[in-house]
Amino acid sequence: MPTLEEQIDITAPGDVVWDHLHQVEDYPRFVGGVREARREGTSGVHMDLETSGGTARGLDAATTDLRPNETMTWRTTETPHLSGSVSLLPIDSTHTRMQLRMDYDPGEAHNAFGGPKGFAQSSAIERTVREDLHQFKDLVEQAHPTT
């Protein structure tokens, strides 16, 4: 199963980044293809996604805060089997490095969401994740500008 690892530096303290990461209802603002997201129970997240064919698909995930303000892990509860983690590393008092790791099966991702196959699928997923990280960075930095 391929593993995708990306990171981005955000101009905000770790606790601010952590709070934004846990505002599930804001996922449509920075996660590509998410139409709506909501928390279900204490550790569940449901997202309504738009596939490449324009149809809607639900996706449920379970999250765990392994170390609050440091590491959150997640995994889907059904196919496609996706899992990953987000870690926050303080750079200084006003900068945080966010590291994302995601494991996925390209065939399952293609069957669930459509889009290209093979290497093109992996490239598209990597590009989307990078764009999502930049959208998240912009969201946090606009909500909490440094002076």
Side-chain angles (χ1 to χ4, degrees):
M1 192 176 296
T3 298
L4 170 62
E5 294 181 352
E6 292 288 336
Q7 67 182 24
I8 194 163
D9 293 346
I10 302 172
T11 305
D15 60 333
V16 169
V17 176
W18 185 260
D19 288 344
H20 278 277
L21 185 61
H22 283 73
Q23 292 177 15
V24 173
E25 64 280 353
D26 282 345
Y27 284 12
R29 296 177 63 189
F30 66 88
V31 180
V34 174
R35 291 179 175 179
E36 182 183 348
R38 66 183 174 276
R39 195 161 287 289
E40 293 195 338
T42 58
S43 65
V45 174
H46 176 83
M47 293 179 282
D48 291 325
L49 308 172
E50 185 171 326
T51 67
S52 66
T55 60
R57 174 189 167 82
L59 184 70
D60 294 312
T63 63
T64 305
D65 291 344
L66 294 178
R67 292 184 304 265
N69 287 324
E70 291 181 28
T71 304
M72 176 183 78
T73 62
W74 58 271
R75 64 174 172 71
T76 56
T77 58
E78 53 201 41
T79 58
H81 295 102
L82 309 168
S83 62
S85 63
V86 178
S87 297
L88 303 180
L89 306 168
I91 297 171
D92 59 32
S93 63
T94 59
H95 296 87
T96 303
R97 177 163 295 142
M98 185 166 112
Q99 296 178 323
L100 173 86
R101 177 186 170 113
M102 184 173 91
D103 298 310
Y104 65 98
D105 179 306
E108 282 188 11
H110 172 76
N111 291 340
F113 306 118
K117 288 188 176 184
F119 180 74
Q121 171 107 38
S122 295
S123 294
I125 290 171
E126 290 173 12
R127 186 174 54 254
T128 299
V129 168
R130 274 189 224 105
E131 290 169 2
D132 292 350
L133 287 175
H134 283 278
Q135 287 285 92
F136 181 75
K137 171 186 169 79
D138 291 345
L139 174 74
V140 173
E141 290 178 352
Q142 288 172 8
H144 301 277
T146 58
T147 56

